[in-house]
Amino acid sequence: MPAPTGRALVNAQVALESFSLSADGKTLVYVLRRVERGEYVSHLWRTTWDGVSPQQLTSGRVRDTAATISPNGRWLAFVRERVGATRESPAQLWI
């Protein structure tokens, strides 16, 4: 197998950017960053504390960050920015 190039290493990376644990400690929401078509995208995922059955919550050509579960566990707030966003399309707070 040939040695990977720098570009291949960047494109293969996956990073956990941040996470939020529910007040009862049962649910974990985390931000998973990947490289798609040469650009970073980040999506929200939810799982139970034991890691069983992770579920992707968001998708698209976006950077979703700063996920926070409300104290009562009913709401999830996060910041969304489109990949390649400009000043005309700033980040938004989603709930």
Side-chain angles (χ1 to χ4, degrees):
M1 183 167 116
T5 65
R7 179 181 301 263
L9 291 173
V10 168
N11 288 338
Q13 72 175 299
V14 176
L16 177 67
E17 287 190 326
S18 63
F19 66 91
S20 180
L21 182 63
S22 63
D24 65 7
K26 294 180 180 179
T27 302
L28 181 71
V29 173
Y30 57 96
V31 177
L32 194 66
R33 184 186 71 209
R34 297 179 184 180
V35 177
E36 288 182 5
R37 291 186 262 161
E39 296 181 295
Y40 288 119
V41 296
S42 301
H43 299 118
L44 303 183
W45 288 73
R46 176 178 58 200
T47 190
T48 53
W49 179 247
D50 58 10
V52 176
S53 302
Q55 176 186 19
Q56 187 171 351
L57 300 176
T58 63
S59 62
R61 303 273 304 145
V62 294
R63 297 278 325 260
D64 293 333
T65 59
T68 304
I69 301 171
S70 67
N72 67 4
R74 289 189 63 211
W75 303 98
L76 175 65
F78 63 96
V79 176
R80 171 169 277 189
E81 182 177 16
R82 291 181 180 267
V83 170
T86 63
R87 289 182 186 227
E88 291 78 33
S89 59
Q92 298 175 334
L93 176 64
W94 284 48
I95 298 176

